[in-house]
Amino acid sequence: MIDLNLIREARERIGGIVKKTPVMTSETISKDFGNELFFKCEHLQKTGAFKIRGASNKVIQEFQRNTKHVIAASSGNHGQAVAYIANQLGICSTIVIPEDAAACKRDAIKAYNGNIEICGTTSEERIERAKQISEDGKAVFIPPYDDPLIMAGQGTAGLEIVEQVDDIDEVYVPIGGGGLISGVAAAIKESNPGIRVIGVEPAIANDTYLSFKQGKRFNIGGSITIADGLRTSIPGELTFPVVQRYVDDIVLVDEESIKEAFIYVLMRMKQVIEPSGAVSVAGAMKRNPGSKRIVALISGGNVDTDFIPKLLK
Ligand SMILES: *Cc1c(COP(=O)(O)O)cnc(C)c1O
């Protein structure tokens, strides 16, 4: 379990690295939608996604223990974040990425001096390979979500949300492995238990939804959702109990509505976000509680330019 203290400590530790991202609003959107909608803009975070929060919390601790080489398995954003913070600290990073990783994510890892290792398509394959490489004892594996320091780092976004927006009714958060939502939900619920935290998953990547309903972790065996940050097949061993404890509900959204949310944010907010980042907006629109003050956490903005036309169709 993680708690508010661990999240506050994370904020201290990573304060010099991560940005306090802005919250955006749009009167037209709120009026159309019939709720007051606030967007927490993690697509404007360093490296273009919230992942730098957890990664820097973990890697800084490793650095202080004299670790010289970190390794990550990631479809992109976590790898990018680990490479970025390692580079800042002057240590070495190796990132294991899937065959189909977006080119912009690959290029960013290279720009941060990360070594790239290509392996398979599922997160299990990548994590296995990364752990293998770290077994020589020289490199330390930095998990993408299933680690208290990672969860606590991601939770710092939750601390900011409760400070930036008054009288919140509901917060919508996308779910992949559950690191983001477990940290954010712990931060929010322990600050103000009255705020509802709603998880959002693509309907074709509904591992946490099914696990949540059944009360135990369930493996869906992979997914091909356009929200590539949410393709995990099973919730984390450590994240899932936190989700069970703090998350109020989980909504599923179809692929079409993720695209619609992307277009909506692009045209109305003039912001470019990635499909995984659009999922929370799609979830808020779908569940639409009516006349509430709602925060949608836009988790990232790293979308390949080649991919944008597919989202517009
Ligand atoms: C990793 C990621 C997520 C999912 O986060 P988890 O901690 O795995 O649940 C959502 N959106 C983006 C943009 C991501 O990079």
Side-chain angles (χ1 to χ4, degrees):
M1 273 294 165
I2 54 166
D3 60 21
L4 208 48
N5 282 335
L6 203 65
I7 301 169
R8 288 191 177 130
E9 278 167 31
R11 173 143 79 175
E12 287 286 304
R13 192 173 296 120
I14 69 180
I17 301 284
V18 309
K19 286 192 206 168
K20 179 170 181 173
T21 52
V23 169
M24 294 179 82
T25 56
S26 151
E27 264 176 49
T28 9
I29 291 183
S30 290
K31 219 166 123 204
D32 286 359
F33 179 42
N35 294 273
E36 276 207 75
L37 196 49
F38 300 84
F39 300 93
K40 174 63 170 168
C41 296
E42 286 297 298
H43 64 295
L44 303 177
Q45 184 53 268
K46 289 256 178 76
T47 73
F50 72 88
K51 291 277 194 334
I52 190 64
R53 295 175 182 270
S56 52
N57 193 34
K58 179 81 177 170
V59 175
I60 289 171
Q61 274 226 339
E62 284 301 332
F63 174 73
Q64 287 164 346
R65 288 193 189 136
N66 220 17
T67 295
K68 299 275 193 289
H69 184 183
V70 287
I71 171 154
S74 166
S75 61
N77 286 337
H78 173 63
Q80 215 167 301
V82 170
Y84 177 86
I85 180 66
N87 198 38
Q88 289 286 309
L89 298 168
I91 63 177
C92 182
S93 67
T94 300
I95 314 300
V96 187
I97 64 168
E99 289 154 9
D100 57 351
C104 70
K105 294 180 179 178
R106 255 196 330 259
D107 293 346
I109 292 169
K110 282 188 202 148
Y112 302 137
N113 295 316
N115 306 308
I116 290 179
E117 170 98 14
I118 296 170
C119 175
T121 52
T122 70
S123 57
E124 281 79 12
E125 286 170 288
R126 288 193 293 283
I127 290 174
E128 207 41 55
R129 180 82 190 105
K131 284 185 173 160
Q132 242 173 33
I133 300 174
S134 66
E135 260 161 24
D136 69 3
K138 289 193 190 105
V140 173
F141 178 63
I142 308 295
Y145 47 82
D146 222 12
D147 181 290
L149 289 172
I150 299 287
M151 294 190 264
Q154 321 301 32
T156 60
L159 293 182
E160 291 174 20
I161 288 172
V162 292
E163 287 166 6
Q164 289 172 304
V165 186
D166 295 328
D167 302 323
I168 304 168
D169 293 303
E170 297 183 343
V171 179
Y172 288 76
V173 185
I175 310 178
L180 176 64
I181 197 168
S182 55
V184 166
I188 288 175
K189 287 291 189 180
E190 291 191 16
S191 304
N192 181 348
I195 299 174
R196 290 172 66 78
V197 177
I198 315 292
V200 191
E201 273 190 317
I204 60 170
N206 59 349
D207 53 308
T208 302
Y209 174 86
L210 293 175
S211 305
F212 192 72
K213 297 289 171 199
Q214 296 175 1
K216 64 175 207 291
R217 291 162 67 231
F218 183 79
N219 192 326
I220 59 164
S223 170
I224 49 156
T225 172
I226 53 167
D228 60 348
L230 311 181
R231 285 180 187 163
T232 34
S233 14
I234 182 167
E237 217 175 300
L238 301 178
T239 57
F240 186 59
V242 184
V243 169
Q244 283 184 302
R245 173 155 177 198
Y246 288 125
V247 174
D248 293 287
D249 199 5
I250 299 178
V251 201
L252 297 178
V253 294
D254 59 32
E255 298 293 292
E256 214 43 52
S257 70
I258 299 171
K259 292 181 191 174
E260 279 163 20
F262 169 85
I263 294 169
Y264 199 76
V265 171
L266 180 70
M267 301 312 286
R268 297 294 183 83
M269 308 287 295
K270 327 298 177 198
Q271 299 294 307
V272 178
I273 65 176
E274 61 181 280
S276 300
V279 163
S280 60
V281 178
M285 301 271 172
K286 180 175 175 193
R287 195 161 179 276
N288 192 352
S291 310
K292 299 282 191 215
R293 288 169 68 83
I294 289 177
V295 179
L297 195 161
I298 295 180
S299 53
N302 294 321
V303 59
D304 235 347
T305 45
D306 296 353
F307 195 68
I308 293 177
K310 289 182 202 151
L311 292 167
L312 296 177
K313 268 185 203 151

